[in-house]
Amino acid sequence: KDERAVVRDALIVAHGAHAGQNRRSGEPFVSHPVAVSILLADLSMDRDTVVAGLLHDTVEDTFLRFEDVERRFGPDVRALVEGETK
């Protein structure tokens, strides 16, 4: 897959995983991971870093697990997500 397709796939996964979740402000929960990934892209980070930005809250706050992230996006993205998980 090309880089944009992988990022788009991560956006779809993040959006689906966070479906129905809202922040205290009432905003959709996924708004934070999207903002993080935009910041990372603006800093010219690589694809895996941008993807990890989109997915970094999924393993804490949704049904997704590290194994799911690795299976879909590879071990490098998993390692980045693990590094960002509280």
Side-chain angles (χ1 to χ4, degrees):
K1 286 184 173 180
D2 70 47
E3 292 194 354
R4 288 182 183 184
V6 174
V7 172
R8 191 176 313 114
D9 189 34
L11 176 61
I12 291 166
V13 169
H15 192 272
H18 290 295
Q21 294 179 334
N22 291 314
R23 302 187 95 53
R24 285 189 199 131
S25 66
E27 289 182 286
F29 193 87
V30 77
S31 63
H32 167 69
V34 169
V36 168
S37 68
I38 289 169
L39 176 65
L40 293 169
D42 286 347
L43 292 170
S44 300
M45 295 293 161
D46 66 5
R47 179 199 67 197
D48 286 349
T49 303
V50 173
V51 167
L54 283 165
L55 301 175
H56 77 275
D57 280 336
T58 57
V59 294
E60 277 186 304
D61 300 319
T62 77
F63 55 87
L64 288 179
R65 299 292 167 244
F66 291 119
E67 295 79 12
D68 302 321
V69 171
E70 182 172 0
R71 191 171 21 264
R72 189 135 183 195
F73 299 100
D76 292 339
V77 172
R78 177 189 176 151
L80 289 165
V81 171
E82 283 181 319
E84 286 299 316
T85 301
K86 299 173 196 162

